C-alpha cells in the first residue's frame, strides 16, 4: 500500500501527458503485469476521493485537476495493455469512472470531459463497446428516465438495463438519483458521438482483446434508438428536460442522421428500422404540441426547427433526396409549418420573431437552392425612376430605394424568377420593419408592393391549384402571396414606431385594388377581421379626427373604400359571413372613439357591397355544394342576430356622448341595415330593440334619420310588387302586438302575480312598440284597428271578475305608452313648425304624410270613451291602500331578508301585485285626464274624474296610523300614486283642474268655512309623510325611496300655484295659496335635508328651493300666492352651507344638478339684496357661496362655465353688486383650463333635465357670441367680457331714475374693476413679469388680462384717466410678447382717441424718447400712426403736425425691425393723408410738403418697402380701434381656429417674420459672395499649387470655409491684440475700394491669427479621432461630442455639420461643440478619409464584434488612433471593416448583448485615455 500511496502521490507532480511514458518505464523496470498495477491503482481510488473531498469546498485548484487527470489517464493507459480483459474495464467503470464523475461534476465539468475522453479512447482502441453497452449506457439512461418518472420502456434497445446496470457490491456507486440530468445527457451524447466517429476505426481494426465484443454499427444503432426515444419524451417534459434534449441530444442525433439515413435495430429479438424520416416526423409532431402549450415551449420548438434546418441545409443530399421522392421527411411539405412561421413572424416576443425569420430564410434557401440575397445581388442598378411630381420627402425616399436596389427589383420581373423575387422583397421588407429606421421602410415599401403585384400579374397564368402541387410552394398562388403580405402588414401595424404604423396602414389603402382585378379577395380574412380592424382602433391613424367637428379621417375613408372593394370580390354567402363577423367585433374588442367610427364606416362599406337576394335566389344557386347552401341559408337568414349586433354598435356609441359623433355612427349602421335586409326579414322583438337603440332626437319629427328609417320600415326601397307584402308584414306584426301583449297563457285557476321588474319590462316593450308604430303608420285609417282595441278592452275593465285571459295592468301600460308617444309627437311637431317658420329647419320630412292633429283627436275620443270605466277600475284598485286586511300580512323570510329598493318591495307577492295595479291605474287615470285636457279644447275633466283624484289625494295624505312594515310599504305605494296625480294636475290647463286642491275634503261644509285648503293640504302632507319616514317601519333603502317621492310630490304641489299665475287663472274663494308658516316650514325642511339628499332627490329638492324663494319674493311684493315676508340673512346662511355640502358630496359633476344649484341658491330675488353680499363689513352668504363655487370650478370646467353664465347675467341685472366680486371677476378673467369637457354639449342636448335647468339660468346678453364658446375654456372670460360691454352701453344711457341709477352703478363697477385689473397687471408678480416663455402660463394670463382691459377701456373717464395712463405707460415700457403688446397698443389708441388732449401732453414726448427700448418705441410709433389715421377730422390735422415729425427720424433707425415698422406706418399715413399733386402744382407747395411727397414716392417705389407693404396691407386695413375693444372684435370667428388664446398675430410679429426671412436670404447670398471672393484671392496667390493639385485644394478650401462660417474659436488675449492691431494698422486700406491687395493681406492676417489659436487648442488634445459619420441619431451624436470634449479627443467626425444647430443636440452637448473640433465627412467619403489618415500614421480601429475582434481590456491602443463607430443597429459596413487595422469589442456578461453606440464610444474613449495616462 505504501508503494501505491507513493505512486499516486507522484501523480500530483506528473502532467497527464507524461503518464503513459512513466507507466511504461515502471512496467519495464518491474516484472509485475499491467493487471497488477491496474488493481493497485484501482484500489487506491479512496485515497483520491478523500483528497478531493477535503481539498476544496467550492472548486478544485490546478493541482487537484492535474492529479485526477493523471490518475484516470494512468488507469486507462493500463487498460490498453495486453492481458486486461473486459471485466477489468467493467470494474473500472463501476469502481472508478462513475464514482469519480459523481464526485467531481459539481466542481469542474472539464475533469469529467477528460475522464470520459480517456475512457472512450480505450473503448475505441479496444473495440470494447460491449462493456459500454452493459454499464455506462443503461446506467445513464436510467438516470435520465428516473428524472422523468420512467420505470422501464419496453422499446428501449438495452431492455435489461435495470439488471445490467446494477453495480457490484463493493462499488462505491449506491444511487442513481444523485447524478445530475445535464451531466448524464452530456455523457450519453459523448458516447454517441464517439461511436459514430469510431465506426470507420472499428472496421479497420483487425484484432482486439475483446474479439467477442459487439459491432460498433449495432451499438450505434441501438444507442441511437434509445436516445431518440428518450429525447422525444424529454421534449414533452419539463423545461430542464427540454433544454437538455435540445442543447445536448438533438445536435448529436441530427449529425448522426446526416452520416447515415437508416439504422437497423433489434429489440427483444424484433427488428426495427430507425430512419431519418421516422425520427423527423416524430420531432415535428412534438414541435406541433409545443406550439400550443406556452411561450417558453414555443421558443423551444423554434429552437428545434432551427437545429433541423441549420444541420440539413448543409447536407447536399437532403434536397436531392426530397426531389427524388425516396420518402424522406420534408418539412416544407407541411402546411402547419408555414402557418406557424406566419404566426412566429408577428409574435410579440422579439426572440420568437428572429427565430421564425431565420428558419424561414433557411427553408426558402433550401427550396430555391440559393440565398434570396443572390437575387438582389444579381440585379443591376442601371434603371432610374421618374421623380417628377414628388414631394421632397418622397424624392428622398426614392433615392434611398435606389440605393437599396428596390427599383431594380421592380424592373426585372420575369416568370422564371418570380418566386425568388417575391421572397427577396418579402425578406427585405420584413428585416427593415424589424431592424432599420423609418426612412428605409418608407423608401422600400411602395416598391415592394408594386413588385409583388406586378409579379403576380405576370405569373397569373402559370399558377397551379393547391391540390395539384406535389410540394407546397408558399408563394405559388395569389392567396398564399397575400397571406405573406398580410404578415408584413400585421407586423407593421404593431410596430413600436407610430410613423411606421401609419405608413403601413396607408399602404393598404394606397393599392389601387380596382386595377388589380379580384386581388382584394385574396387578402386573408383573419387579417381583415383582426390586425386591420385593431389597427384602425389606434389613435395614431386619426390625428385629424374630431377637429372642427369633423368625425372622420383619411384612414377611415381609406378603410371604408378598401372594405367595399373587398366585399364586392366575395361570394354571396362569404359577404354575409364577413359582415356578420365584422360587426361582431364590437363585442370582442374595446374600441375608442375613432376606432368605433372606423368600425361603423367599415360595416357600412361592407354592407354596400352585399347584394340583397331573396331566399329563393339563394336556393337556386346550382354551383354551390350542399354544405355551402346550408351555410348560405344559416348565415343569410339569421338577420335577427345581425340586427342585434348592429344595435350593440349603436348603443356602444352612447359612451362617447357627442351628438354629431353618434349621428354619424347611427347613420352608418342604418345604411348597412338598409343594404342587407328588409324590415320584414326579422322578428318583431329584435326589430323593436333595434329601433329603440337610436337616440330619440334622431328619429323624432324632423330628425335626421327619421325619413330613412321610415322608408326602410315601410319597404319603399323594394319593388312595387313586393312593397305591399313587406309593408303588410310589418304592420300586421305591429297590429297584432297589443293583443299578444295583454293576453297570457295562464289557466283560469292560476293567480298571476308580478313585481316592479315585470312592470319595467312590460313598459319598455310597450314604449318600443309605440315608437315603431308611429314611425311606420302612413295614414289615419291604419289606426282604426288599434282604436277599436282600446275601446273594446277599455269597456271590459270592470265587467269581469277575473282576468285569466288578459291583464288589465298590461292594457293600461299600453295606453300609457300610446299617450306618451302622442304627447311627444305633438311637442315635436310644434317645435319643428316653429323652427321651420324661423328658417332653422331646412329639411322637410316627406315620409310624414299623416295629419298629426287628426291622429291626436282620434285617440282623444277613444281615451274619453274609456275614461268612465277607468275611473271605476281605479276606485276598485285603490282599495288596497286603506284596506286593513293587507296590513296584517306576515312577511315571509325571503322578503324580510331583502334590503329593499325601487324594484324590491318588502311585500308578499299578492300585495305587491295589488299595490302595483293600484299605482298603475292611478297613473293611467291621471295621465289620460291630463292628456285629454291638453289636446281637446272642448274637453274638460268630468266631475267624477276630478272627484276621484281629489278624494284619492286626501285619503292618501290623511293616512296617519301605521302599525306594521307591510302597512308602511303600502303607504309608500300610495305616495307614489299621489305623485302621478299631482304631476298630472300641474300640466292640466283647465281652471277646474287647478282648483281641485282648493276645495275642502268635506264637500258638505258651508262656503263660509272654506279655508285656503292648498295650504292645509301641504301642511298635512308634510306632517304625515314625515311621520311615516320617522316611524322606523321601513327598511333603510325603502325609506330613501319614500323620501324621493316626498320631494317629487312637494315640487309638484309648489308648481301648481306657479302655473296658475302664469296662465292667469283666477280661483274663487282662495285669497292666498300658502301661508307664511307653511312656506317657512317647507324651507326649513328642505334646508335641513339638503346635506343628506340622495341622488334621486337632488333635483326635486333644489327645484323646490327655487320655488320657495319665488314665493318669498312674491310674498314681499304682496302677491296672492303667498303671505310670507321674505328671507333674511340667517336663513340664507343656512341654505348656502347646506347647499355647498350637498354639492361637494356629489361624486359626479352632472350639468343638471350644478345648474339647479346655481339657479336655486343664487336666486335673482336674493341677489338684489346687498346684505346677502356683505353684512356687517364681512362677506355675506352669497359672497361666501360664490367664492366656494368658483374655487371648486377651477378644477371642474363645467362648473365654472355654468357659474360664469349665471353670474354674468345676475351682475348685469344688478350692477350694484359687482363691487363685492372684484376677486371673482379677476379669477373668471384669468381662468383657462386645458381640460376639454366634450360631454357637456351632449349632456345638455340629450338630457331633458340638464336642458331645462340650463335654460333657467340667467341668460347671457349676447347669446350668439357666448353660445359659440359654451364648450370651450374661453367661455368664462367671454361671458364676463360680454357683460362689461353691455354695462358700458348701459352706462351711456340716460333715462328714468331707475335707468340713471343702473347707469351710474354700471359705470362705477366698470371703473372699479378696470383699476383693480390694471393694478394687477402692473404690480402682480406673475402678470408684471418681463421674462417668460412663449405660450407659457404667464404668457396666457397676460393675454387674458389685457383682452379684458381692452373691453374695460370704455369705462375710462376724466376722473381716472391720469391713473390709467400712468399704469399704461409703465406696462408699455416693459418687455412683453407681441401677442400681449398688441392689446396694450389697442387700449392706448382708444384712450388717445377718446381724450385728444392727451396726445400732445403724453404721446408726443414719449415718441421723442429715442433712447427708449426698441420694443416700446415700436409700440408708440404704432399708437401714434393709428391715432393720426383714426382721429376725427377736427383733431386729425393737429395730431399729424404733432406726431409725424418725431416719427420721421425713426426711418433711419439702426434697428432693422423698428426701421421697417416705421417705414410701413409712415407710408400708410402719407398715402391716406397726403393727396397726390400734379407736376404743375408741385412747384407751388412748401419745401416741407415736397419733402414728404418725395418720401412717400420713395417708400412707394422702393422694391423692399413694396414687398413688405404688400404682405402687411391686409393687417393694416383690418385694424379698427373701436371694433377691437369689443368682445366680437376680440373673440369673434376664433372658435375653429387653433390659435393662441384667440390672440391675432400682431403687425409687429408679421414685420419681424418678414425681415428675418429677408435677412436669411441676404446672409446666404453674402456667404456665397464671400466664398467666391476668397477663392478668387487664393487663386491669385497660389496658382502654382492649384496647377499641381486642383481637386485637393478645392476640397481643402471648402473645409476652411466651413470652419470660418460654422466654428467658434476662442483665442488668447495676445492673439486678440495682435489681430486687433493688425486691423487698426490696415485701416487706411479701406479708404481705397480698388486696393484689393491690402484687403487680401487683412484676410490673411485674420486667417493666420485663427490658425495660431487653433494650433494652441489642438496642442493639448489627445491624438484620437472619433469617426461618427455612420451615426444619424441626434442624441447619440450630442453625447459623443460631450464625451470627446471631456476626454479632449483630437476631433469628432460627423456626416453633416448642420446637426450642430439642432436644438436637441445643443441641449445634450451643453456647448461641447464649441470646444471640440467637428469635422464633416459624409458617409460616402469615410473610406477615403480613413485611407488618408492611415497614410499619416494613424491606426484605424473599429468598435465592432467580429470573429477576430479583441477584447477592449486586452488591446493596447496606439497613440495615433482613429476609432470608427458603426450604425446604431447595423454596425460597421463590410467595405469599411476590410480597411481596419483591428476590431475591438467590449466584453459583455449579461443577457442583452448590445450597448448604445454613445455608451460604447465613451467606454472605448476612456480606455484609450486610461492607457495614455499610464504611459
Amino acid at each position: 500500500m505504501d508503494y501505491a500511496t507513493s505512486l499516486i502521490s507522484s501523480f500530483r507532480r506528473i502532467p497527464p501527458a507524461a503518464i503513459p511514458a512513466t507507466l511504461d518505464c515502471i512496467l519495464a523496470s518491474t516484472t509485475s503485469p499491467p493487471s497488477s498495477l491496474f488493481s493497485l491503482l484501482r484500489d487506491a481510488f479512496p485515497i483520491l476521493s478523500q483528497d478531493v473531498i477535503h481539498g476544496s469546498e467550492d472548486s478544485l485548484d490546478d493541482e487537484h485537476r492535474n492529479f485526477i487527470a493523471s490518475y484516470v489517464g494512468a488507469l486507462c493507459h493500463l487498460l490498453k495493455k495486453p492481458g486486461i480483459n473486459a471485466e477489468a474495464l467493467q470494474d473500472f467503470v463501476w469502481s472508478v469512472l462513475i464514482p469519480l464523475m459523481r464526485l467531481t461534476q459539481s466542481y469542474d465539468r472539464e475533469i469529467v470531459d477528460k475522464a470520459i475522453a480517456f475512457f472512450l479512447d480505450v473503448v475505441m482502441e479496444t473495440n470494447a463497446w460491449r462493456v459500454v453497452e452493459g454499464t455506462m449506457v443503461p446506467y445513464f439512461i436510467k438516470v435520465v428516465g428516473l428524472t422523468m418518472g420512467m420505470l422501464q420502456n419496453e422499446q428501449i434497445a438495452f431492455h435489461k438495463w435495470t439488471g445490467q446496470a446494477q453495480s457490484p457490491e463493493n462499488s462505491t456507486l449506491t444511487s442513481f438519483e444523485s447524478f445530475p440530468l445535464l451531466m448524464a445527457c452530456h455523457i450519453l451524447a459523448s458516447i454517441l458521438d464517439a461511436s459514430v466517429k469510431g465506426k470507420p476505426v472499428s472496421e479497420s481494426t483487425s484484432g482486439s482483446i475483446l474479439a467477442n465484443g459487439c459491432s460498433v454499427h449495432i451499438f450505434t444503432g441501438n444507442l441511437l434508438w434509445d436516445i431518440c426515444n428518450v429525447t422525444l419524451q424529454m421534449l414533452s417534459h419539463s423545461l430542464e428536460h427540454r433544454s437538455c434534449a435540445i442543447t445536448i441530444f438533438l445536435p448529436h442525433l441530427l449529425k448522426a442522421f446526416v452520416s447515415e439515413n437508416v439504422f437497423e435495430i433489434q429489440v427483444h429479438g424484433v427488428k426495427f428500422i430507425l430512419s431519418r424520416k421516422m425520427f423527423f416526423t416524430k420531432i415535428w409532431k412534438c414541435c406541433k404540441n409545443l406550439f400550443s402549450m406556452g411561450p417558453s415551449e414555443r421558443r423551444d420548438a423554434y429552437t428545434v426547427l432551427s437545429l433541423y434546418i441549420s444541420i440539413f441545409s448543409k447536407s447536399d443530399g437532403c434536397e436531392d433526396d426530397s426531389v427524388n421522392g425516396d420518402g424522406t421527411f420534408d418539412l416544407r411539405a407541411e402546411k402547419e409549418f408555414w402557418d406557424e412561421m406566419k404566426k412566429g413572424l408577428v409574435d410579440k416576443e422579439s426572440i420568437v420573431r428572429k427565430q421564425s425569420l431565420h428558419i424561414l430564410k433557411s427553408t426558402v434557401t433550401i427550396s430555391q437552392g440559393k440565398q434570396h440575397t443572390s437575387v438582389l445581388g444579381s440585379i443591376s442598378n442601371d434603371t432610374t425612376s421618374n421623380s417628377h411630381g414628388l414631394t421632397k420627402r418622397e424624392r428622398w425616399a426614392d433615392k434611398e430605394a435606389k440605393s437599396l436596389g428596390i427599383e431594380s427589383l421592380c424592373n426585372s420581373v420575369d416568370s422564371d424568377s418570380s418566386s425568388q423575387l417575391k421572397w427577396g422583397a418579402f425578406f427585405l421588407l420584413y428585416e427593415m420593419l424589424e431592424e432599420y429606421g423609418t426612412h428605409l421602410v418608407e423608401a422600400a415599401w411602395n416598391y415592394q408592393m408594386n413588385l409583388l403585384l406586378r409579379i403576380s400579374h405576370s405569373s397569373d397564368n402559370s399558377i397551379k391549384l393547391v391540390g395539384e402541387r406535389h410540394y407546397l410552394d408558399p408563394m405559388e398562388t395569389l392567396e398564399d402571396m397575400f397571406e405573406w403580405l398580410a404578415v408584413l402588414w400585421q407586423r407593421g401595424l404593431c410596430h413600436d414606431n407610430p410613423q411606421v404604423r401609419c405608413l403601413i396602414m396607408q399602404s393598404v389603402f394606397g393599392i389601387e385594388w380596382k386595377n388589380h382585378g379580384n386581388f382584394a379577395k385574396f387578402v386573408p380574412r383573419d387579417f381583415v377581421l383582426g390586425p386591420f380592424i385593431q389597427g384602425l382602433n389606434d389613435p395614431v391613424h386619426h390625428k385629424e379626427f374630431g377637429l372642427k367637428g369633423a368625425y372622420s379621417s383619411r384612414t377611415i375613408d381609406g378603410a371604408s373604400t378598401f372594405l367595399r372593394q373587398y366585399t364586392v370580390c366575395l361570394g354571396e354567402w362569404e359577404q354575409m359571413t364577413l359582415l356578420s363577423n365584422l360587426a361582431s367585433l364590437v363585442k370582442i374588442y374595446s374600441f375608442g372613439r375613432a376606432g368605433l367610427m372606423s368600425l361603423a364606416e367599415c360595416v357600412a362599406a361592407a354592407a354596400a357591397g352585399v347584394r340583397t337576394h331573396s331566399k329563393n335566389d339563394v336556393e337556386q344557386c346550382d354551383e354551390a355544394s350542399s354544405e355551402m347552401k346550408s351555410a348560405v341559408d344559416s348565415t343569410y337568414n339569421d338577420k335577427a342576430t345581425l340586427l342585434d349586433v348592429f344595435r350593440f354598435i349603436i348603443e356602444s356609441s352612447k359612451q362617447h356622448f357627442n351628438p354629431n359623433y353618434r349621428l354619424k355612427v347611427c347613420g352608418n349602421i342604418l345604411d348597412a341595415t338598409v343594404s342587407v335586409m328588409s324590415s320584414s326579414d326579422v322578428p318583431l322583438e329584435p326589430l323593436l330593440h333595434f329601433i329603440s337603440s337610436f337616440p330619440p332626437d334622431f328619429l323624432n319629427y324632423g330628425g335626421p334619420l327619421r325619413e330613412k328609417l321610415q322608408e326602410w320600415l315601410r319597404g319603399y326601397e323594394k319593388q312595387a310588387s313586393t312593397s305591399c307584402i313587406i309593408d303588410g308584414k310589418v304592420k300586421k306584426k305591429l297590429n297584432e302586438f297589443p293583443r299578444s301583449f295583454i293576453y297570457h297563457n295562464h289557466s283560469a285557476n292560476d293567480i298571476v302575480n308580478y313585481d316592479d321588474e315585470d312592470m319595467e319590462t312590460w313598459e319598455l316593450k310597450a314604449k318600443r312598440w309605440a315608437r315603431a308604430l308611429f314611425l311606420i303608420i302612413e295614414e289615419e285609417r291604419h289606426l282604426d284597428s288599434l282604436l277599436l282595441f282600446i275601446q273594446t278592452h277599455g269597456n271590459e275593465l270592470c265587467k269581469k271578475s277575473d282576468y285569466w285571459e288578459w291583464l288589465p295592468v298590461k292594457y293600461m301600460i299600453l295606453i300609457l305608452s300610446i299617450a306618451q308617444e302622442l304627447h311627444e309627437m305633438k311637442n315635436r311637431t310644434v317645435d319643428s313648425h316653429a323652427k321651420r317658420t324661423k328658417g332653422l329647419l331646412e329639411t322637410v320630412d316627406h315620409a310624414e304624410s299623416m295629419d298629426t292633429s287628426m291622429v291626436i283627436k282620434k285617440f282623444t275620443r277613444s281615451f274619453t270613451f274609456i275614461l268612465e270605466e277607468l275611473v271605476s277600475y281605479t276606485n276598485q284598485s285603490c282599495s288596497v291602500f286603506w284596506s286593513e286586511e293587507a296590513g296584517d300580512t306576515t312577511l315571509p323570510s325571503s322578503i324580510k331578508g331583502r334590503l329593499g329598493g325601487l324594484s324590491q318591495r318588502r311585500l308578499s307577492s299578492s300585495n305587491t301585485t295589488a299595490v302595483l295595479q293600484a299605482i298603475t291605474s292611478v297613473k293611467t287615470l291621471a295621465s289620460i285626464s291630463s292628456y285629454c285636457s291638453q289636446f281637446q279644447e272642448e274637453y274638460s275633466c268630468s266631475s267624477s274624474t276630478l272627484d276621484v283624484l281629489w278624494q284619492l289625494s286626501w285619503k292618501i295624505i290623511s293616512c296617519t296610523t301605521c302599525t306594521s312594515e307591510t302597512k308602511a310599504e303600502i303607504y309608500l305605494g300610495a305616495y307614489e300614486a299621489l305623485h302621478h296625480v299631482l304631476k298630472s294636475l300641474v300640466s292640466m290647463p283647465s281652471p277646474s283642474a287647478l282648483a281641485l286642491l282648493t276645495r275642502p275634503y268635506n264637500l258638505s261644509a258651508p262656503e263660509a268655512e272654506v279655508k285656503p285648503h292648498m295650504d292645509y293640504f301641504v301642511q298635512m302632507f308634510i306632517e304625515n309623510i314625515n311621520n311615516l319616514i320617522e316611524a322606523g317601519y321601513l327598511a333603510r333603502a325603502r325609506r330613501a325611496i319614500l323620501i324621493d317621492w316626498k320631494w317629487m310630490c312637494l315640487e309638484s304641489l309648489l308648481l301648481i300655484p306657479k302655473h296658475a299665475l302664469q296662465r292667469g287663472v283666477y280661483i274663487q274663494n282662495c285669497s292666498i295659496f300658502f301661508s307664511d308658516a307653511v312656506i317657512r316650514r317647507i324651507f326649513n325642511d328642505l334646508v335641513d335635508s339638503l346635506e343628506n339628499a340622495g341622488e334621486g332627490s337632488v333635483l326635486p329638492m333644489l327645484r323646490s328651493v327655487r320655488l320657495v324663494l319665488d314665493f318669498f319674493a312674491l310674498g314681499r311684493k304682496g302677491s296672492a300666492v303667498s303671505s310670507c315676508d321674505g328671507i333674511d340673512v340667517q336663513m340664507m346662511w343656512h341654505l348656502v352651507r347646506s347647499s355647498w355640502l350637498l354639492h361637494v358630496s356629489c361624486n359626479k359633476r352632472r350639468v343638471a344638478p350644478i345648474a339647479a344649484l346655481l339657479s336655486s341658491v343664487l336666486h335673482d330675488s336674493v341677489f338684489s339684496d346687498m346684505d346677502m353680499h356683505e353684512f356687517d363689513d364681512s362677506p355675506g352668504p352669497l359672497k361666501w357661496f360664490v367664492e366656494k363655487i368658483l374655487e371648486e370650478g377651477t378644477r371642474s370646467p363645467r362648473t365654472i362655465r355654468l357659474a360664469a353664465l349665471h353670474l354674468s347675467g345676475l351682475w348685469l341685472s344688478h350692477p350694484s353688486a359687482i363691487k363685492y366680486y372684484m376677486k371673482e371677476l379677476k379669477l373668471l378673467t384669468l381662468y383657462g383650463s386645458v381640460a376639454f369637457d366634450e360631454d357637456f354639449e351632449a349632456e345638455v342636448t340629450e338630457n331633458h333635465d340638464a336642458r331645462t335647468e340650463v335654460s333657467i339660468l340667467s341668460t347671457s346678453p349676447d347669446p350668439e357670441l357666448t353660445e359659440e364658446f359654451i364648450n370651450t375654456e374661453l367661455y368664462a372670460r367671454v361671458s364676463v367680457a360680454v357683460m362689461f360691454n353691455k354695462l358700458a352701453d348701459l352706462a351711456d344711457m340716460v333715462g328714468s331714475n331707475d335707468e340713471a341709477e343702473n347707469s351710474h352703478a354700471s359705470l362705477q363697477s366698470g371703473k372699479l374693476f378696470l383699476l383693480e385689473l390694471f393694478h394687477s397687471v402692473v404690480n402682480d408678480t406673475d402678470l408684471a413679469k418681463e421674462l417668460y416663455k412663449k405660450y407659457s402660463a404667464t404668457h396666457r394670463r397676460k393675454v387674458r388680462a389685457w383682452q379684458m382691459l381692452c373691453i374695460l377701456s370704455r369705462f375710462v373717464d376724466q376722473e381716472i384717466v391720469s391713473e390709467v395712463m400712468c399704469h399704461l405707460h409703465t406696462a408699455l415700457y416693459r418687455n412683453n410678447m407681441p401677442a400681449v403688446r398688441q392689446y396694450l397698443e389697442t387700449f392706448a389708441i382708444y384712450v388717445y382717441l377718446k381724450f385728444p388732449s392727451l396726445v400732445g401732453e403724453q404721446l408726443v414726448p414719449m415718441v421723442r424718447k429715442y433712447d427708449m427700448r426698441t420694443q416700446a418705441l415700436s409700440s408708440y410709433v404704432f399708437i401714434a400712426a393709428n391715432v393720426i389715421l383714426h382721429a376725427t377730422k377736427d383733431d386729425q390735422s393737429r395730431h399729424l403736425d404733432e406726431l409725424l415729425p418725431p416719427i420721421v427720424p425713426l426711418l433711419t433707425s439702426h434697428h432693422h425691425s423698428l426701421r421697417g415698422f416705421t417705414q410701413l406706418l409712415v407710408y400708410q399715413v402719407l398715402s391716406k393723408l397726403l393727396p397726390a399733386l400734379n407736376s404743375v402744382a408741385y412747384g407751388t407747395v412748401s419745401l416741407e410738403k415736397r419733402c414728404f411727397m418725395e418720401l412717400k414716392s420713395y417708400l412707394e417705389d422702393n422694391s423692399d418697402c413694396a414687398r413688405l407693404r404688400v404682405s402687411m396691407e391686409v393687417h393694416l386695413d383690418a385694424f379698427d380701434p373701436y371694433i377691437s375693444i369689443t368682445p366680437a372684435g376680440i373673440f369673434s370667428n376664433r372658435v375653429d381656429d387653433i390659435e393662441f388664446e384667440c390672440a391675432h398675430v400682431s403687425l409687429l410679429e408679421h414685420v419681424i417674420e418678414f425681415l428675418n426671412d429677408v435677412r436669411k436670404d441676404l446672409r446666404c447670398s453674402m456667404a456665397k459672395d464671400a466664398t467666391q471672393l476668397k477663392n478668387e484671392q487664393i487663386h491669385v496667390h497660389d496658382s502654382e499649387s492649384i496647377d499641381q493639385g486642383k481637386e485637393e485644394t478645392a476640397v481643402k478650401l471648402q473645409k476652411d470655409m466651413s470652419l470660418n462660417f460654422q466654428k467658434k474659436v476662442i483665442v488668447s488675449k495676445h492673439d486678440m491684440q495682435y489681430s486687433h492691431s493688425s486691423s487698426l494698422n490696415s485701416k487706411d486700406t479701406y479708404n481705397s475700394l480698388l486696393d484689393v491687395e491690402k484687403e487680401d493681406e487683412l484676410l490673411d492676417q485674420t486667417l493666420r491669427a485663427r490658425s495660431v489659436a487653433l494650433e494652441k487648442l489642438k496642442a493639448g488634445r489627445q491624438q484620437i479621432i472619433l469617426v461618427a459619420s455612420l451615426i444619424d441619431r441626434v442624441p447619440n451624436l450630442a453625447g459623443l461630442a460631450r464625451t470627446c470634449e471631456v476626454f479632449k479627443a483630437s476631433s469628432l467626425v460627423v456626416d453633416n455639420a448642420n446637426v450642430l444647430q439642432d436644438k436637441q443636440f445643443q441641449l445634450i452637448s451643453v456647448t461641447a461643440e464649441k470646444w471640440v473640433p467637428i469635422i464633416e465627412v459624409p458617409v460616402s467619403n469615410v473610406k477615403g478619409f480613413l485611407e488618408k489618415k492611415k497614410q499619416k500614421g494613424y491606426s484605424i480601429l473599429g468598435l465592432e464584434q467580429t470573429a477576430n475582434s479583441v477584447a477592449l481590456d486586452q488591446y493596447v491602443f496606439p497613440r495615433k488612433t482613429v476609432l470608427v463607430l458603426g450604425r446604431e443597429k447595423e454596425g460597421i459596413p463590410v467595405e469599411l471593416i476590410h480597411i481596419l487595422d483591428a476590431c475591438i469589442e467590449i466584453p459583455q456578461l449579461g443577457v442583452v448583448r448590445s450597448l448604445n453606440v454613445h455608451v460604447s464610444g465613451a467606454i472605448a474613449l476612456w480606455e484609450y485615455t486610461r492607457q495614455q495616462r499610464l504611459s
Side-chain angles (χ1 to χ4, degrees), residues 135-149:
T135 56
M136 298 281 286
V137 173
Y139 175 81
F140 288 111
I141 285 182
K142 183 172 183 179
V143 169
V144 176
L146 289 175
T147 60
M148 296 186 292

Side-chain angles (χ1 to χ4, degrees), residues 68-332:
I68 295 172
S70 299
Y71 176 76
V72 175
L75 290 173
C76 290
H77 181 71
L78 293 175
L79 287 172
K80 297 178 184 179
K81 298 296 182 179
I84 302 297
N85 54 19
E87 287 75 11
L89 184 59
Q90 184 174 352
D91 188 31
F92 167 74
V93 171
W94 294 121
S95 302
V96 177
L97 185 59
I98 294 179
L100 180 64
M101 288 188 294
R102 288 180 55 191
L103 185 64
T104 59
Q105 53 85 21
S106 60
Y107 297 115
D108 198 338
R109 180 174 171 177
E110 184 180 354
I111 299 176
V112 177
D113 291 340
K114 288 183 179 181
I116 289 293
F118 286 137
F119 170 72
L120 292 177
D121 184 55
V122 175
V123 173
M124 293 174 65
E125 186 171 338
T126 61
N127 198 20
W129 298 106
R130 174 74 67 181
V131 177
V132 181
E133 182 182 6
T135 56
M136 298 281 286
V137 173
Y139 175 81
F140 288 111
I141 285 182
K142 183 172 183 179
V143 169
V144 176
L146 289 175
T147 60
M148 296 186 292
M150 294 171 52
L151 295 178
Q152 182 165 341
N153 192 329
E154 292 298 327
Q155 290 189 355
I156 297 294
F158 303 106
H159 56 281
K160 295 183 179 180
W161 51 266
T162 305
Q164 291 180 6
Q166 188 66 36
S167 59
E169 294 182 358
N170 59 349
S171 172
T172 59
L173 183 62
T174 59
S175 174
F176 291 94
E177 299 176 358
S178 61
F179 212 94
L181 174 65
L182 180 66
M183 186 60 66
C185 295
H186 175 68
I187 294 170
L188 288 173
S190 301
I191 295 173
L192 176 61
D193 190 47
S195 67
V196 173
K197 294 179 180 179
K199 287 169 61 180
V201 177
S202 177
E203 292 171 358
S204 62
T205 303
S206 57
S208 174
I209 60 172
L210 303 174
N212 296 325
C214 68
S215 170
V216 67
H217 183 80
I218 298 175
F219 174 83
T220 303
N222 292 342
L223 180 59
L224 195 63
W225 174 273
D226 285 347
I227 295 180
C228 286
N229 289 329
V230 171
T231 301
L232 292 173
Q233 295 187 45
M234 292 175 69
L235 289 175
S236 303
H237 216 267
S238 66
L239 177 63
E240 181 185 7
H241 288 85
R242 284 200 310 275
S243 176
C244 292
I246 294 171
T247 58
I248 300 176
F249 281 158
L250 271 180
H252 293 84
L253 291 174
L254 294 175
K255 290 179 182 178
F257 280 116
V258 169
S259 60
E260 191 168 350
N261 293 344
V262 179
F263 292 87
E264 184 176 332
I265 311 299
Q266 187 171 359
V267 180
H268 300 277
V270 181
K271 291 186 178 180
F272 291 93
I273 300 298
L274 177 60
S275 65
R276 183 164 60 188
K277 177 182 179 181
M278 180 186 69
F279 177 65
F280 291 167
T281 304
K282 293 181 179 179
I283 287 292
W284 169 238
K285 184 177 179 180
C286 289
C287 290
K288 289 193 291 185
N289 293 332
L290 292 175
F291 288 147
S292 59
M293 294 178 66
S296 61
E297 290 82 359
R298 191 178 185 188
R299 288 193 296 269
D300 291 338
Y302 279 112
T303 305
V304 173
L305 293 178
S306 299
L307 283 172
Y308 168 76
I309 297 296
S310 61
I311 290 179
F312 287 98
S313 62
K314 302 175 183 179
S315 174
D316 297 334
C318 179
E319 184 178 358
D320 296 337
D321 292 340
S322 62
V323 174
N324 294 332
D326 64 347
T328 302
F329 175 76
D330 190 355
L331 187 60
R332 296 164 292 173

Side-chain angles (χ1 to χ4, degrees), residues 1489-1501:
K1489 194 168 186 178
R1490 288 203 304 272
C1491 291
F1492 280 116
M1493 291 177 63
E1494 293 296 335
L1495 177 61
K1496 172 189 172 185
S1497 177
Y1498 170 78
L1499 294 175
E1500 184 176 5
D1501 298 336

Side-chain angles (χ1 to χ4, degrees), residues 1348-1392:
M1348 189 60 65
L1349 284 171
C1350 288
I1351 301 293
L1352 296 170
S1353 61
R1354 296 179 59 187
F1355 292 97
V1356 178
D1357 60 3
Q1358 199 66 42
E1359 182 183 356
I1360 64 171
V1361 66
S1362 299
E1363 184 179 357
V1364 168
M1365 296 308 294
C1366 180
H1367 290 317
L1368 180 63
H1369 290 308
T1370 302
L1372 280 170
Y1373 185 78
R1374 292 172 176 170
N1375 285 324
N1376 273 304
M1377 295 283 186
V1380 179
R1381 186 166 288 276
Q1382 63 176 332
Y1383 295 109
L1384 279 75
E1385 297 163 355
T1386 301
F1387 186 96
I1389 293 169
Y1390 178 80
V1391 173
Y1392 281 126

Side-chain angles (χ1 to χ4, degrees), residues 758-771:
D758 297 326
M759 295 287 290
E760 183 180 1
T761 302
W762 296 339
E763 288 174 0
L764 289 176
K765 284 185 178 181
K767 287 180 181 179
R768 290 195 291 263
W769 166 79
R771 191 176 189 188

